[in-house]
Amino acid sequence: MDRKEELDAYQKSLVRFLDRKFCSPYQVEGKEVSRNIYAERCDIAGSTLTRIKNREGYDVPISTIYKFCDFENIKVKDLFIEFEGIYYKNKEETDNQ
């Protein structure tokens, strides 16, 4: 896999991860809410949440990642540690097939 393909795979995996972690379903204080309520509470545009849900070709800005983490009381560093643990585990499994 060349560098561009690797970056594309990383971005797509990050979007899938963010969707599963924050958007499926949208929750505020443990209760399922609409996309619009979640967007308002965490100060992320509803259209951005839709792009994440659609999962195709979206390069998530660090400001969006920061807002997710701030709202959910997660350190950005910890979010990436969790993501990379999953990403590289899945990548290794795929590479070994």
Side-chain angles (χ1 to χ4, degrees):
M1 189 179 312
D2 70 20
R3 187 175 165 99
K4 183 180 179 339
E5 291 171 329
E6 179 72 27
L7 178 59
D8 288 345
Y10 190 89
Q11 286 175 330
K12 287 178 183 178
S13 293
L14 178 60
V15 170
R16 278 194 305 271
F17 172 76
L18 294 173
D19 176 37
R20 288 184 194 127
K21 185 150 187 84
F22 301 118
C23 304
S24 295
Y26 301 110
Q27 292 188 351
V28 174
E29 297 172 0
K31 296 179 184 168
E32 193 168 330
V33 297
S34 71
R35 181 202 68 169
N36 291 340
I37 290 171
Y38 189 81
E40 182 180 308
R41 293 289 299 273
C42 63
D43 193 30
I44 296 173
S47 60
T48 298
L49 295 175
T50 298
R51 285 186 195 111
I52 291 169
K53 291 293 287 177
N54 289 342
R55 297 184 175 181
E56 285 302 315
Y58 184 54
D59 189 1
V60 182
I62 193 66
S63 59
T64 299
I65 294 168
Y66 178 85
K67 288 177 181 182
F68 274 132
C69 291
D70 184 55
F71 180 71
E72 300 288 347
N73 295 313
I74 300 169
K75 292 179 182 177
V76 174
K77 174 182 90 170
D78 294 338
L79 180 80
F80 274 99
I81 288 169
E82 180 182 351
F83 165 67
E84 288 198 333
I86 293 167
Y87 176 76
Y88 288 110
K89 178 180 181 231
N90 290 343
K91 184 178 182 309
E92 184 177 296
E93 289 172 1
T94 302
D95 290 346
N96 290 332
Q97 291 180 354

